[in-house]
């Protein structure tokens, strides 16, 4: 359970499809709402040369940013704790060089381990699955096509969106 001051991302998954004209896109939006049971706010249409493309693809930037910050903080603190524990073990049970220089042992591990934790947090918080959808949406809007994006709360919604949008849907 997360802290109340940290906004949670409500729609972590996305499904999109590209259409040649606004009529097809509007028909798909109507089907998603009527047949798929999606709320209208979950379905976004990106028009050709849309100036609001980034916000339409990732409307929950605050929640995403807060989540990324918490992942980084958590792994950095975990790295610090691992570094302290490893240093303690080396100073008390390790080879003579670490027992003879406890300050340097602590200093080295307390500096390196949190950085490794921060790096691991960075790797974990990357969202490469979104890159493909963002790239396709940019290409579609640049080639005068419409993209319909469904922001899904869970796997069931993702499956429903794919069924309604049919084979043109690209899952994210």
């Amino acid at each position: 359970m997360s802290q109340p001051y940290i906004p949670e991302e409500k729609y972590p998954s996305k499904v999109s499809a590209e259409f040649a004209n606004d009529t097809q896109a509007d028909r798909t939006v109507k089907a998603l709402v009527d047949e798929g049971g999606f709320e209208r706010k979950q379905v976004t249409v990106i028009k050709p040369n849309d100036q609001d493309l980034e916000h339409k693809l990732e409307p929950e930037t605050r929640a995403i940013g807060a989540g990324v910050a918490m992942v980084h903080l958590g792994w950095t603190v975990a790295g610090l704790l691992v570094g302290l524990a490893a240093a303690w073990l080396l100073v008390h049970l390790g080879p003579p060089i670490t027992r003879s220089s406890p300050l340097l042992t602590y200093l080295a591990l307390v500096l390196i381990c949190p950085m490794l934790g921060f790096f691991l947090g960075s790797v974990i918080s990357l969202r490469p699955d979104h890159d493909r959808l963002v790239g396709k949406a940019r290409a579609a809007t640049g080639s005068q096509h419409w993209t319909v994006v469904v922001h899904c709360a869970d796997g069931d919604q993702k499956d429903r969106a794919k069924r309604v949008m049919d084979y043109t849907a690209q899952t994210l």
Side-chain angles (χ1 to χ4, degrees), residues 130-148:
H130 287 214
D131 288 346
R132 191 172 68 212
L133 183 132
V134 170
K136 287 195 177 260
R138 284 182 196 276
T141 191
S143 62
Q144 304 305 306
H145 285 112
W146 280 254
T147 302
V148 175

PDB file of all heavy atoms in Angstrom, residues 130-148:
ATOM      1  N   HIS A 130       6.514   1.469 -23.281  1.00  0.00           N
ATOM      2  CA  HIS A 130       5.797   2.641 -23.776  1.00  0.00           C
ATOM      3  C   HIS A 130       6.479   3.252 -24.998  1.00  0.00           C
ATOM      4  O   HIS A 130       5.832   3.955 -25.764  1.00  0.00           O
ATOM      5  CB  HIS A 130       5.676   3.697 -22.681  1.00  0.00           C
ATOM      6  CG  HIS A 130       4.687   3.341 -21.625  1.00  0.00           C
ATOM      7  ND1 HIS A 130       3.921   4.279 -20.994  1.00  0.00           N
ATOM      8  CD2 HIS A 130       4.304   2.156 -21.099  1.00  0.00           C
ATOM      9  CE1 HIS A 130       3.132   3.692 -20.114  1.00  0.00           C
ATOM     10  NE2 HIS A 130       3.356   2.403 -20.164  1.00  0.00           N
ATOM     11  N   ASP A 131       7.756   2.994 -25.180  1.00  0.00           N
ATOM     12  CA  ASP A 131       8.494   3.596 -26.292  1.00  0.00           C
ATOM     13  C   ASP A 131       7.911   3.230 -27.645  1.00  0.00           C
ATOM     14  O   ASP A 131       7.802   4.071 -28.535  1.00  0.00           O
ATOM     15  CB  ASP A 131       9.966   3.184 -26.251  1.00  0.00           C
ATOM     16  CG  ASP A 131      10.725   3.852 -25.123  1.00  0.00           C
ATOM     17  OD1 ASP A 131      10.190   4.816 -24.541  1.00  0.00           O
ATOM     18  OD2 ASP A 131      11.841   3.403 -24.820  1.00  0.00           O
ATOM     19  N   ARG A 132       7.532   1.976 -27.801  1.00  0.00           N
ATOM     20  CA  ARG A 132       6.991   1.520 -29.082  1.00  0.00           C
ATOM     21  C   ARG A 132       5.683   2.237 -29.411  1.00  0.00           C
ATOM     22  O   ARG A 132       5.484   2.704 -30.525  1.00  0.00           O
ATOM     23  CB  ARG A 132       6.801   0.010 -29.062  1.00  0.00           C
ATOM     24  CG  ARG A 132       6.510  -0.566 -30.430  1.00  0.00           C
ATOM     25  CD  ARG A 132       6.522  -2.072 -30.425  1.00  0.00           C
ATOM     26  NE  ARG A 132       5.394  -2.540 -29.644  1.00  0.00           N
ATOM     27  CZ  ARG A 132       5.396  -3.646 -28.925  1.00  0.00           C
ATOM     28  NH1 ARG A 132       6.466  -4.381 -28.872  1.00  0.00           N
ATOM     29  NH2 ARG A 132       4.340  -4.021 -28.255  1.00  0.00           N
ATOM     30  N   LEU A 133       4.796   2.333 -28.419  1.00  0.00           N
ATOM     31  CA  LEU A 133       3.518   3.015 -28.642  1.00  0.00           C
ATOM     32  C   LEU A 133       3.731   4.492 -28.939  1.00  0.00           C
ATOM     33  O   LEU A 133       3.123   5.046 -29.851  1.00  0.00           O
ATOM     34  CB  LEU A 133       2.607   2.852 -27.430  1.00  0.00           C
ATOM     35  CG  LEU A 133       1.232   3.459 -27.594  1.00  0.00           C
ATOM     36  CD1 LEU A 133       0.164   2.481 -27.174  1.00  0.00           C
ATOM     37  CD2 LEU A 133       1.108   4.730 -26.801  1.00  0.00           C
ATOM     38  N   VAL A 134       4.594   5.144 -28.191  1.00  0.00           N
ATOM     39  CA  VAL A 134       4.872   6.567 -28.409  1.00  0.00           C
ATOM     40  C   VAL A 134       5.449   6.779 -29.804  1.00  0.00           C
ATOM     41  O   VAL A 134       5.031   7.689 -30.528  1.00  0.00           O
ATOM     42  CB  VAL A 134       5.826   7.114 -27.316  1.00  0.00           C
ATOM     43  CG1 VAL A 134       6.308   8.509 -27.656  1.00  0.00           C
ATOM     44  CG2 VAL A 134       5.126   7.110 -25.953  1.00  0.00           C
ATOM     45  N   GLY A 135       6.373   5.934 -30.208  1.00  0.00           N
ATOM     46  CA  GLY A 135       6.966   6.042 -31.541  1.00  0.00           C
ATOM     47  C   GLY A 135       5.934   5.859 -32.641  1.00  0.00           C
ATOM     48  O   GLY A 135       5.919   6.613 -33.625  1.00  0.00           O
ATOM     49  N   LYS A 136       5.070   4.873 -32.488  1.00  0.00           N
ATOM     50  CA  LYS A 136       4.037   4.637 -33.505  1.00  0.00           C
ATOM     51  C   LYS A 136       3.036   5.784 -33.540  1.00  0.00           C
ATOM     52  O   LYS A 136       2.582   6.173 -34.610  1.00  0.00           O
ATOM     53  CB  LYS A 136       3.344   3.306 -33.254  1.00  0.00           C
ATOM     54  CG  LYS A 136       4.207   2.128 -33.611  1.00  0.00           C
ATOM     55  CD  LYS A 136       3.385   0.868 -33.697  1.00  0.00           C
ATOM     56  CE  LYS A 136       4.251  -0.276 -34.129  1.00  0.00           C
ATOM     57  NZ  LYS A 136       4.115  -0.579 -35.528  1.00  0.00           N
ATOM     58  N   ALA A 137       2.679   6.333 -32.383  1.00  0.00           N
ATOM     59  CA  ALA A 137       1.732   7.456 -32.351  1.00  0.00           C
ATOM     60  C   ALA A 137       2.353   8.690 -33.009  1.00  0.00           C
ATOM     61  O   ALA A 137       1.666   9.412 -33.745  1.00  0.00           O
ATOM     62  CB  ALA A 137       1.323   7.764 -30.915  1.00  0.00           C
ATOM     63  N   ARG A 138       3.627   8.939 -32.758  1.00  0.00           N
ATOM     64  CA  ARG A 138       4.310  10.069 -33.407  1.00  0.00           C
ATOM     65  C   ARG A 138       4.346   9.888 -34.929  1.00  0.00           C
ATOM     66  O   ARG A 138       4.102  10.817 -35.681  1.00  0.00           O
ATOM     67  CB  ARG A 138       5.735  10.207 -32.879  1.00  0.00           C
ATOM     68  CG  ARG A 138       5.847  10.802 -31.524  1.00  0.00           C
ATOM     69  CD  ARG A 138       7.326  10.932 -31.139  1.00  0.00           C
ATOM     70  NE  ARG A 138       7.476  11.152 -29.738  1.00  0.00           N
ATOM     71  CZ  ARG A 138       7.396  12.326 -29.157  1.00  0.00           C
ATOM     72  NH1 ARG A 138       7.142  13.387 -29.865  1.00  0.00           N
ATOM     73  NH2 ARG A 138       7.552  12.447 -27.854  1.00  0.00           N
ATOM     74  N   ALA A 139       4.674   8.676 -35.357  1.00  0.00           N
ATOM     75  CA  ALA A 139       4.720   8.408 -36.791  1.00  0.00           C
ATOM     76  C   ALA A 139       3.336   8.556 -37.423  1.00  0.00           C
ATOM     77  O   ALA A 139       3.205   9.114 -38.514  1.00  0.00           O
ATOM     78  CB  ALA A 139       5.268   7.005 -37.045  1.00  0.00           C
ATOM     79  N   ALA A 140       2.319   8.089 -36.726  1.00  0.00           N
ATOM     80  CA  ALA A 140       0.948   8.181 -37.258  1.00  0.00           C
ATOM     81  C   ALA A 140       0.503   9.632 -37.393  1.00  0.00           C
ATOM     82  O   ALA A 140      -0.042  10.027 -38.433  1.00  0.00           O
ATOM     83  CB  ALA A 140      -0.016   7.421 -36.350  1.00  0.00           C
ATOM     84  N   THR A 141       0.732  10.422 -36.361  1.00  0.00           N
ATOM     85  CA  THR A 141       0.302  11.819 -36.424  1.00  0.00           C
ATOM     86  C   THR A 141       1.092  12.581 -37.483  1.00  0.00           C
ATOM     87  O   THR A 141       0.555  13.461 -38.155  1.00  0.00           O
ATOM     88  CB  THR A 141       0.384  12.507 -35.043  1.00  0.00           C
ATOM     89  OG1 THR A 141      -0.273  13.761 -35.118  1.00  0.00           O
ATOM     90  CG2 THR A 141       1.782  12.702 -34.558  1.00  0.00           C
ATOM     91  N   GLY A 142       2.342  12.211 -37.676  1.00  0.00           N
ATOM     92  CA  GLY A 142       3.150  12.852 -38.704  1.00  0.00           C
ATOM     93  C   GLY A 142       2.741  12.466 -40.118  1.00  0.00           C
ATOM     94  O   GLY A 142       2.955  13.211 -41.068  1.00  0.00           O
ATOM     95  N   SER A 143       2.118  11.282 -40.259  1.00  0.00           N
ATOM     96  CA  SER A 143       1.675  10.838 -41.591  1.00  0.00           C
ATOM     97  C   SER A 143       0.168  11.039 -41.773  1.00  0.00           C
ATOM     98  O   SER A 143      -0.465  10.334 -42.554  1.00  0.00           O
ATOM     99  CB  SER A 143       2.062   9.376 -41.819  1.00  0.00           C
ATOM    100  OG  SER A 143       1.411   8.555 -40.875  1.00  0.00           O
ATOM    101  N   GLN A 144      -0.378  11.984 -41.018  1.00  0.00           N
ATOM    102  CA  GLN A 144      -1.783  12.397 -41.153  1.00  0.00           C
ATOM    103  C   GLN A 144      -2.778  11.284 -40.816  1.00  0.00           C
ATOM    104  O   GLN A 144      -3.841  11.181 -41.414  1.00  0.00           O
ATOM    105  CB  GLN A 144      -2.055  12.944 -42.566  1.00  0.00           C
ATOM    106  CG  GLN A 144      -1.145  14.098 -42.972  1.00  0.00           C
ATOM    107  CD  GLN A 144      -1.198  15.251 -41.967  1.00  0.00           C
ATOM    108  OE1 GLN A 144      -2.259  15.767 -41.652  1.00  0.00           O
ATOM    109  NE2 GLN A 144      -0.047  15.643 -41.442  1.00  0.00           N
ATOM    110  N   HIS A 145      -2.434  10.449 -39.837  1.00  0.00           N
ATOM    111  CA  HIS A 145      -3.347   9.417 -39.360  1.00  0.00           C
ATOM    112  C   HIS A 145      -3.797   9.737 -37.941  1.00  0.00           C
ATOM    113  O   HIS A 145      -3.159  10.517 -37.237  1.00  0.00           O
ATOM    114  CB  HIS A 145      -2.672   8.039 -39.381  1.00  0.00           C
ATOM    115  CG  HIS A 145      -2.552   7.479 -40.756  1.00  0.00           C
ATOM    116  ND1 HIS A 145      -1.339   7.314 -41.370  1.00  0.00           N
ATOM    117  CD2 HIS A 145      -3.482   7.059 -41.637  1.00  0.00           C
ATOM    118  CE1 HIS A 145      -1.519   6.810 -42.571  1.00  0.00           C
ATOM    119  NE2 HIS A 145      -2.820   6.654 -42.763  1.00  0.00           N
ATOM    120  N   TRP A 146      -4.886   9.103 -37.531  1.00  0.00           N
ATOM    121  CA  TRP A 146      -5.426   9.255 -36.195  1.00  0.00           C
ATOM    122  C   TRP A 146      -5.016   8.040 -35.376  1.00  0.00           C
ATOM    123  O   TRP A 146      -4.959   6.928 -35.902  1.00  0.00           O
ATOM    124  CB  TRP A 146      -6.949   9.322 -36.237  1.00  0.00           C
ATOM    125  CG  TRP A 146      -7.497  10.656 -36.618  1.00  0.00           C
ATOM    126  CD1 TRP A 146      -8.086  11.552 -35.773  1.00  0.00           C
ATOM    127  CD2 TRP A 146      -7.527  11.255 -37.907  1.00  0.00           C
ATOM    128  NE1 TRP A 146      -8.473  12.671 -36.468  1.00  0.00           N
ATOM    129  CE2 TRP A 146      -8.143  12.520 -37.786  1.00  0.00           C
ATOM    130  CE3 TRP A 146      -7.075  10.868 -39.164  1.00  0.00           C
ATOM    131  CZ2 TRP A 146      -8.328  13.372 -38.845  1.00  0.00           C
ATOM    132  CZ3 TRP A 146      -7.260  11.721 -40.235  1.00  0.00           C
ATOM    133  CH2 TRP A 146      -7.879  12.958 -40.063  1.00  0.00           C
ATOM    134  N   THR A 147      -4.758   8.242 -34.102  1.00  0.00           N
ATOM    135  CA  THR A 147      -4.445   7.150 -33.187  1.00  0.00           C
ATOM    136  C   THR A 147      -5.442   7.193 -32.041  1.00  0.00           C
ATOM    137  O   THR A 147      -5.692   8.250 -31.464  1.00  0.00           O
ATOM    138  CB  THR A 147      -3.016   7.285 -32.616  1.00  0.00           C
ATOM    139  OG1 THR A 147      -2.089   7.313 -33.699  1.00  0.00           O
ATOM    140  CG2 THR A 147      -2.679   6.129 -31.693  1.00  0.00           C
ATOM    141  N   VAL A 148      -6.017   6.042 -31.743  1.00  0.00           N
ATOM    142  CA  VAL A 148      -6.900   5.916 -30.583  1.00  0.00           C
ATOM    143  C   VAL A 148      -6.109   5.175 -29.513  1.00  0.00           C
ATOM    144  O   VAL A 148      -5.578   4.094 -29.764  1.00  0.00           O
ATOM    145  CB  VAL A 148      -8.196   5.153 -30.933  1.00  0.00           C
ATOM    146  CG1 VAL A 148      -9.039   4.920 -29.685  1.00  0.00           C
ATOM    147  CG2 VAL A 148      -9.001   5.921 -31.977  1.00  0.00           C
TER     148      VAL A 148
END
